[in-house]
Amino acid sequence: MVDFESKIISRDISQLLYEKEKTVSTAESCTGGRIAESMMSVPGASKYFKGGIICYVDEVKTNLLGVSQELLDEKTAVCEDVAIQLVKGACRTLNTTYAVAATGVAGPTGGSKEIPVGTIWLACGTADKVVTLKVEEDHGRDINLAIATNKAMQLFLDFLKAEEPQEQV
């Protein structure tokens, strides 16, 4: 279920994408489709939201989204570089202007000293320009995923607003 805050952010994203006639997709590991669900919560989303890939395992990240196996071996799936490659891969694979991605450890298990539970990398952007955000607090699995989804949507909305041409005063 999409919460109220996400719905408002989704509506704002919807208006910007609709006006620009641009498209968006998602590449989600730990969030498992929650970001896509938020995107689709607005009526008319089919005009700009093309789809999403839930890439829970590394095999899907490499085969469908082009994430480097060497990168996964060296840094694990939970790192900024993988989040960036997920955005670029989703733009390419789903042929969209923009993509939003998430990769992390939602919990309650699976963390390590280096990458504790609650570490989630979010990214959004285009095939050429990607911005990232690291979420690092553990509030339990459900809350971790809700926070990551909201922050991913807000990150994308801020990215879209930053792309808007500034009006001259």
Side-chain angles (χ1 to χ4, degrees):
M1 172 131 155
V2 177
D3 69 35
F4 185 68
E5 187 181 350
S6 280
K7 239 188 179 131
I8 290 173
I9 296 169
S10 297
R11 195 187 64 225
D12 293 345
I13 288 170
S14 167
Q15 288 170 337
L16 287 170
L17 291 176
Y18 201 84
E19 287 165 16
K20 295 176 177 212
E21 297 184 355
K22 305 286 187 186
T23 56
V24 65
S25 59
T26 58
E28 302 181 66
S29 185
C30 62
T31 50
R34 287 167 178 84
I35 298 168
E37 183 184 18
S38 289
M39 292 278 181
M40 294 165 39
S41 69
V42 180
S46 61
K47 294 262 190 278
Y48 55 85
F49 181 74
K50 281 194 170 184
I53 295 173
I54 298 171
C55 50
Y56 211 57
V57 297
D58 289 352
E59 177 189 355
V60 177
K61 291 176 183 76
T62 56
N63 291 348
L64 287 182
L65 294 161
V67 173
S68 156
Q69 185 62 55
E70 292 75 28
L71 176 61
L72 291 167
D73 292 343
E74 185 185 325
K75 292 189 174 180
T76 82
V78 185
C79 70
E80 184 178 29
D81 292 339
V82 167
I84 291 167
Q85 286 191 7
L86 289 174
V87 168
K88 293 180 177 194
C91 286
R92 188 176 53 250
T93 301
L94 294 163
N95 191 28
T96 55
T97 316
Y98 305 106
V100 183
T103 182
V105 184
T109 60
S112 65
K113 201 168 82 168
E114 298 79 25
I115 304 170
V117 168
T119 304
I120 300 173
W121 276 101
L122 306 171
C124 69
T126 65
D128 302 316
K129 180 183 178 192
V130 179
V131 295
T132 61
L133 176 69
K134 186 180 187 184
V135 178
E136 295 185 88
E137 293 177 25
D138 181 17
H139 301 281
R141 184 178 183 84
D142 291 342
I143 294 172
N144 291 348
L145 294 172
I147 289 170
T149 300
N150 273 342
K151 288 189 179 289
M153 295 293 285
Q154 188 63 55
L155 183 69
F156 183 47
L157 178 59
D158 293 344
F159 182 87
L160 290 174
K161 285 181 175 174
E163 276 206 322
E164 287 287 291
Q166 300 302 309
E167 290 184 31
Q168 299 299 316
V169 178

